[in-house]
Amino acid sequence: MKFRDSLDPGEQVITCNRAHALKLLRPAIVLLIVIFATNFLQVVTAGHSGWSAVGPIILIAALVYVVVRFIKWATTGYALTNRRIVVFRGVGGGGPVSIPLEYVAGVVGPRGGARLTGCGTIRISARGQTFELTCQKDPGRFSDLCYRAHLRRVNALR
């Protein structure tokens, strides 16, 4: 994933990525179930012509759902610079959210099935707000990078 925000002078990108592809598992399962249900509906209602349009409508709705989820996944991402954590939200989610590293009170992670799936949730606390980076690839590494960048930033400001 590319960094899609402007950098301040002297700011460098440490890492930039998007959520793990496992986040697309639910839309894929929904699509498979809808394809199966549509075929089953076509076989069961073969003698009733009034039901012949229901299957394609359901299939088109499922395809729209999958495409929307894919676009949201592809346009949502997380970046860590030497000065801030940036959360890029999907289409319609507004602009990027920047969390200055000096405001970060804690980075907790990974949570979830990180060992089994290779992804997990990282929780960032900053000035009374909590941000969850869900389905983060290699959450232990990202959490460690956030912690190290936070320490460097706080020490540089002293």
Side-chain angles (χ1 to χ4, degrees), residues 99-129:
I99 309 165
L101 287 174
E102 56 268 17
Y103 297 157
V104 173
V107 178
V108 179
R111 298 179 50 200
R115 289 185 187 167
L116 183 63
T117 61
C119 68
T121 300
I122 296 174
R123 182 173 287 169
I124 299 171
S125 301
R127 293 240 170 151
Q129 290 183 313

Side-chain angles (χ1 to χ4, degrees), residues 107-110 120-124 131-134 136 139 142-143:
V107 178
V108 179
T121 300
I122 296 174
R123 182 173 287 169
I124 299 171
F131 301 91
E132 285 193 350
L133 309 181
T134 59
Q136 177 66 42
F142 190 80
S143 179

Side-chain angles (χ1 to χ4, degrees), residues 39-130:
N39 286 331
F40 182 74
L41 184 65
Q42 292 296 327
V43 170
V44 170
T45 62
H48 307 295
S49 62
W51 285 91
S52 62
V54 173
I57 291 171
I58 294 172
L59 186 59
I60 289 171
L63 284 172
V64 168
Y65 168 75
V66 169
V67 167
V68 167
R69 297 303 294 178
F70 178 79
I71 290 171
K72 186 174 180 181
W73 170 81
T75 58
T76 301
Y78 319 106
L80 174 66
T81 71
N82 59 342
R83 295 186 183 169
R84 59 191 169 139
I85 299 170
V86 183
V87 179
F88 302 104
R89 295 185 178 159
V91 176
V97 176
S98 293
I99 309 165
L101 287 174
E102 56 268 17
Y103 297 157
V104 173
V107 178
V108 179
R111 298 179 50 200
R115 289 185 187 167
L116 183 63
T117 61
C119 68
T121 300
I122 296 174
R123 182 173 287 169
I124 299 171
S125 301
R127 293 240 170 151
Q129 290 183 313
T130 302

